[in-house]
Amino acid sequence: MCSYFTKSTALLTKMAATAFIFLTLLFIFHFKKAHGTDQVSSVTERSNLQTYIVSVQQPEGSDLAESEYVENWHRSFLPYSLESSDVQQRPFYSYKNVISGFAAKLTEEEVQDMKKKNGFVSARPERKVRLQTTHSPSFLGLHQGMGVWKESNFGKGVIIGILDGGINPDHPSFSDEGMPPPPAKWKGRCDFSTCNNKLIGARTFNIEGNVKGTEPPIDVDGHGTHVAGTAAGAFVKNAESLGNAKGTAVGMAPYAHLAIYKVCFGGDVDCTESDLLAGLDAAIEDGVDVLSISIGGGSVPFFNDSIAVGSFAAIQKGIFVSCAAGNSGPFNSTISNEAPWILTVGASTLDRSIVATAKLGNREEFDGESVFQPKDFPQTPLPLVYAGMNGKPESAFCGNGSLSGIDVKGKVVLCERGGGIARIFKGEQVKNAGGAAMILMNDEPNAFSVIADPHVLPATHVSNDAGLKIKSYINSTATPMATIIFKGTVIGNSLAPTVVSFSSRGPNLASPGILKPDIIGPGLSILAAWFEPLDFNTNPKSIFNIMSGTSMACPHLSGIAALLKSSHPYWSPAAIKSALMTTADLLNMNGERIVDETLRPADIFAIGAGHVNPSRANDPGLVYDIQPDDYIPYLCGLGYSDKEVGILVHRPVVCSGIGKIPEAQLNYPSFSVTLGPAQTFTRTVTNVGQVYSSYAVNVVAPQGVVVSVKPSKLYFSKVNQKATYSVTFTRSGSGYTSGQFAQGYITWVSAKYSVRSPISVRLQ
């Protein structure tokens, strides 16, 4: 009887809400008839339309995901002054999973009118966000017939959703040979005629074009195809890029399914938050298991960050979210995607280089990199000239038309990186001016991080140190000479992995008590699927390209997360994240600390927990788990209002009734502490390893800090058993500077496992 009453009450409430919406829309219709169209024209003329993200309360008694009247409820907030035809023509998204609200093209006056309506929560103009392999599987220890690939069945049964710039559906990386049908839970659709058991979903969301999941997501710049191939591309033999990096191309989870959501359009242009939210909304509804988002923007509060808001909705449904850290390094506090429920991924190198050596007339040689490696470039030295010889900065950067007053014909031209000019574009300018080849030297911040690009002429990209020596040589002789020796693919750089200069760094501005990035993975000179042949003339079947960026690192981790999801289907997103972080590597192939672009040891704001180790992550021993509701006291502790927390967690919240916790009290796999007086925090670990096991703590304390852990030993007698420990941080004496950062580690060690958490302490 009680159950029947509950259902009946809900039904009556829903009917009442539907009736309210109907009456509201009916009133709008008669209001518009009475007032005519002049008001619409005058309002639109007074102010330009722009897209707003609007949050509203849910209609009473409704479920956010119930679509039969949610869209009507959202439309009821549109201004009364809009003609019915204008309502239909204006771009509009009604969200059902990511937020309680919608996106619409509105004027500022219309938004002000909307604020007067009952149920309105907030409205803000949308932000623009930006898009941020043959060898990487073996470099990461992924091998056929053994290890994590075998244990996870290559990611079989897991669905990876890619939010990016579309896909080339006919690429062999997306063949479904050996693939099973998608799991029964899959509810999505594919707008390509060539979809299969690998590529199971494909949709486009473009509010500017008023396209809402009804056109095929064709890739026109290659970024989305490359990302998808990196995450879950099938095995493709004889892959190469302009004759280099030859081998079998394969993604991290080659038997995982792919669902593509095109939300970015036209290369390096911005992506809109409204499209991004629409793609996230659809992916959650469709039933993906992992979301890969190589997109990001600047630091803003989480409730104003659509990736943070949409990702929270995803983890509430058990969906793992991996995001790029951003390409604004090596400068501190440049990190994107800072929310603790997101895995934030920085970029590292492989041990593979595509070597092009600059050889000077004095016989000095400097190794650099280039994908384009012509076989017929003369080995006899050519005249060498510095592009900035006229003293103009734009000339040194080889900008558009800047070489017109310099004699570069038939010469090797030294150009400087930077100036807001793309690396390949610099080569185009040299070629257009008649130059025979280019040596591209790094600026000081990028130091020793060089990139293999598909240049348009013979070229090599060398370090800042090498560039300064080449400049010095040019100034030392009246007849400087140089050539480039192309040595092809070389494997075995013992310094790998290193942190790439462009990889964005912490500390975290939006939440200083959460250490970011979380982890690093391969993101430099990654070979993966491409949208068209790089060379139509000599090898039209070669449709692979080499790209660099945290956009490339992110899908590596997305694919590895899919492997863990396949091995451990009941692990939460937080458990998978913990497994990846606590097992990450701190040492390079030499057994020494991982270095950054300066070749000095990388700090914690560059590497986070370390470099991903898939095999160890699949069997981590202990995990730090977090349930979605555990984030609410943390969000309240950030000082967010009830309304702002509600936008994130998709329901009303009263922080005074829930309580607040400091950021560092969240059960996160790392510690980030601002230390004045002594502070104590707790952590709870869950045993996912051996049934009977014990762990002893090992502490590497940050300089100037005493770290006390109680208890010092943890004991487990069953799987999924939990244990809690406390950590007290205390300043030790003097000798530190206020505002200084120090780093350390807490590691729980058993006979089999080593479970490490990094520590960042800011001393006050």
Side-chain angles (χ1 to χ4, degrees):
M1 183 67 180
C2 180
S3 175
Y4 175 79
F5 175 79
T6 302
K7 291 179 182 178
S8 299
T9 303
L11 179 61
L12 288 170
T13 305
K14 196 176 298 181
M15 291 171 63
T18 304
F20 169 76
I21 295 168
F22 173 76
L23 290 172
T24 301
L25 293 172
L26 187 64
F27 167 75
I28 293 171
F29 172 76
H30 286 294
F31 179 92
K32 288 188 239 178
K33 285 198 72 175
H35 287 76
T37 61
D38 291 341
Q39 188 175 356
V40 179
S41 300
S42 61
V43 170
T44 305
E45 288 169 2
R46 284 199 307 269
S47 180
N48 293 329
L49 292 169
Q50 60 179 318
T51 303
Y52 282 82
I53 308 294
V54 183
S55 295
V56 299
Q57 295 176 1
Q58 294 175 234
E60 190 175 346
S62 78
D63 186 303
L64 187 59
E66 293 178 358
S67 60
E68 62 267 24
Y69 64 97
V70 169
E71 181 168 344
N72 285 338
W73 167 245
H74 293 163
R75 286 192 179 276
S76 73
F77 284 85
L78 294 176
Y80 296 156
S81 59
L82 291 178
E83 285 294 320
S84 59
S85 60
D86 197 7
V87 172
Q88 298 303 319
Q89 291 170 5
R90 286 215 197 160
F92 177 87
Y93 285 131
S94 175
Y95 302 121
K96 300 173 179 63
N97 296 288
V98 289
I99 62 170
S100 175
F102 58 92
K105 289 279 189 180
L106 299 165
T107 66
E108 185 177 347
E109 290 86 349
E110 290 166 347
V111 171
Q112 294 302 318
D113 184 58
M114 188 184 301
K115 290 180 179 179
K116 302 171 185 176
K117 298 185 178 183
N118 291 331
F120 174 86
V121 175
S122 68
R124 62 176 178 84
E126 70 174 357
R127 294 192 307 148
K128 304 286 187 175
V129 288
R130 309 208 83 180
L131 290 168
Q132 301 283 327
T133 118
T134 51
H135 186 60
S136 52
S138 60
F139 180 70
L140 294 172
L142 298 174
H143 303 285
Q144 286 184 266
M146 60 185 294
V148 65
W149 258 357
K150 181 179 180 181
E151 293 159 7
S152 67
N153 208 1
F154 299 93
K156 186 175 288 187
V158 177
I159 303 169
I160 303 176
I162 307 285
L163 276 75
D164 210 283
I167 194 169
N168 170 8
D170 301 318
H171 196 284
S173 289
F174 310 121
S175 163
D176 67 349
E177 183 178 352
M179 292 279 300
K185 68 169 187 171
W186 173 247
K187 297 186 291 183
R189 75 166 193 262
C190 186
D191 290 331
F192 286 122
S193 60
T194 53
C195 281
N196 55 30
N197 287 333
K198 163 62 76 175
L199 182 58
I200 62 173
R203 300 174 68 182
T204 298
F205 297 90
N206 182 4
I207 197 168
E208 293 297 330
N210 212 9
V211 176
K212 293 175 274 189
T214 56
E215 291 183 4
I218 297 170
D219 187 359
V220 297
D221 59 49
H223 192 278
T225 298
H226 196 281
V227 165
T230 301
F235 290 90
V236 182
K237 294 180 180 179
N238 302 315
E240 49 86 15
S241 179
L242 299 181
N244 294 290
K246 295 178 180 178
T248 298
V250 61
M252 298 296 100
Y255 285 178
H257 307 282
L258 282 167
I260 305 300
Y261 304 88
K262 182 173 181 176
V263 296
C264 298
F265 303 86
D268 200 31
V269 301
D270 294 324
C271 321
T272 68
E273 283 189 297
S274 55
D275 294 334
L276 183 60
L277 280 172
L280 281 164
D281 202 64
I284 294 169
E285 185 73 18
D286 291 346
V288 304
D289 299 298
V290 173
L291 278 167
S292 188
I293 307 175
S294 291
I295 302 168
S299 179
V300 294
F302 297 145
F303 55 84
N304 279 339
D305 182 341
S306 289
I307 294 178
V309 173
S311 296
F312 196 93
I315 64 112
Q316 286 179 311
K317 298 292 180 68
I319 300 168
F320 182 88
V321 183
S322 172
C323 291
N327 298 333
S328 298
F331 308 106
N332 284 347
S333 299
T334 53
I335 203 86
S336 295
N337 299 312
E338 303 152 291
W341 48 89
I342 292 170
L343 182 75
T344 308
V345 186
S348 62
T349 66
L350 299 172
D351 65 336
R352 179 185 67 198
S353 303
I354 304 175
V355 180
T357 301
K359 184 175 181 179
L360 307 184
N362 63 2
R363 298 189 178 182
E364 282 190 290
E365 295 187 6
F366 302 98
D367 284 343
E369 296 203 39
S370 174
V371 175
F372 178 48
Q373 303 239 334
K375 295 187 170 92
D376 57 353
F377 190 70
Q379 297 302 291
T380 54
L382 299 171
L384 171 64
V385 61
Y386 172 48
M389 62 185 295
N390 61 5
K392 296 179 179 179
E394 61 270 22
S395 297
F397 294 129
C398 296
N400 189 20
S402 65
L403 302 178
S404 58
I406 304 173
D407 180 15
V408 301
K409 190 171 177 124
K411 298 180 181 180
V412 179
V413 182
L414 176 66
C415 299
E416 295 191 26
R417 184 176 180 178
I421 303 163
R423 298 181 302 274
I424 292 176
F425 184 79
K426 294 173 187 283
E428 291 175 353
Q429 298 308 301
V430 172
K431 184 177 181 180
N432 292 341
M438 175 180 70
I439 299 174
L440 176 63
M441 64 171 284
N442 262 349
D443 52 7
E444 186 175 359
N446 285 292
F448 289 91
S449 277
V450 298
I451 299 174
D453 286 315
H455 289 287
V456 298
L457 82 171
T460 183
H461 182 181
V462 300
S463 70
N464 176 254
D465 181 70
L468 292 176
K469 290 175 180 175
I470 294 170
K471 270 190 183 181
S472 178
Y473 163 70
I474 292 173
N475 293 331
S476 72
T477 176
T479 57
M481 307 290 284
T483 188
I484 301 175
I485 303 170
F486 295 98
K487 299 179 179 179
T489 305
V490 178
I491 293 175
N493 185 345
S494 60
L495 285 179
T498 67
V499 181
V500 189
S501 60
F502 58 70
S503 187
S504 289
R505 314 295 161 97
N508 186 336
L509 294 179
S511 181
I514 299 296
L515 179 63
K516 292 286 181 171
D518 292 308
I519 200 165
I520 58 173
L524 183 75
S525 301
I526 303 302
L527 184 138
W530 198 239
F531 75 116
E532 65 180 8
L534 279 183
D535 187 347
F536 284 96
N537 297 320
T538 62
N539 193 358
K541 293 184 179 180
S542 177
I543 43 178
F544 291 88
N545 195 12
I546 288 176
M547 293 188 74
S548 299
T550 55
S551 280
M552 286 62 252
C554 170
H556 276 89
L557 271 294
S558 306
I560 294 166
L563 298 179
L564 301 195
K565 182 72 174 178
S566 183
S567 289
H568 309 282
Y570 299 108
W571 278 9
S572 69
I576 293 173
K577 180 177 182 176
S578 172
L580 291 165
M581 291 174 63
T582 61
T583 59
D585 292 329
L586 294 180
L587 305 181
N588 61 23
M589 294 179 67
N590 269 341
E592 300 170 345
R593 284 181 59 187
I594 292 172
V595 299
D596 62 16
E597 70 285 342
T598 67
L599 303 186
R600 293 190 289 267
D603 68 26
I604 208 163
F605 297 127
I607 65 171
H611 190 271
V612 62
N613 184 322
S615 297
R616 290 186 59 208
N618 199 43
D619 186 17
L622 305 174
V623 295
Y624 294 81
D625 206 359
I626 307 174
Q627 298 305 311
D629 281 359
D630 296 339
Y631 292 104
I632 299 177
Y634 155 81
L635 293 169
C636 292
L638 288 178
Y640 292 171
S641 68
D642 293 350
K643 180 178 74 173
E644 291 162 347
V645 176
I647 290 171
L648 280 158
V649 304
H650 316 112
R651 67 173 188 267
V653 168
V654 180
C655 285
S656 61
I658 294 173
K660 305 175 181 180
I661 61 170
E663 296 166 84
Q665 180 58 33
L666 188 68
N667 200 43
Y668 210 65
S670 61
F671 294 84
S672 182
V673 179
T674 298
L675 187 59
Q679 296 180 43
T680 299
F681 305 99
T682 61
R683 290 291 189 271
T684 299
V685 290
T686 303
N687 179 29
V688 296
Q690 295 174 325
V691 174
Y692 294 98
S693 55
S694 63
Y695 292 78
V697 73
N698 178 44
V699 176
V700 177
Q703 185 176 2
V705 180
V706 175
V707 180
S708 175
V709 180
K710 296 181 180 180
S712 60
K713 291 188 177 181
L714 301 176
Y715 299 92
F716 299 93
S717 58
K718 58 185 178 181
V719 176
N720 293 324
Q721 183 179 351
K722 298 181 183 298
T724 298
Y725 66 92
S726 67
V727 184
T728 300
F729 298 94
T730 310
R731 289 185 300 192
S732 60
S734 57
Y736 62 86
T737 303
S738 180
Q740 175 184 337
F741 286 93
Q743 65 184 52
Y745 298 92
I746 293 174
T747 308
W748 290 99
V749 182
S750 75
K752 180 179 180 182
Y753 301 106
S754 179
V755 185
R756 185 182 57 252
S757 293
I759 303 169
S760 168
V761 175
R762 183 175 183 268
L763 298 165
Q764 284 190 331

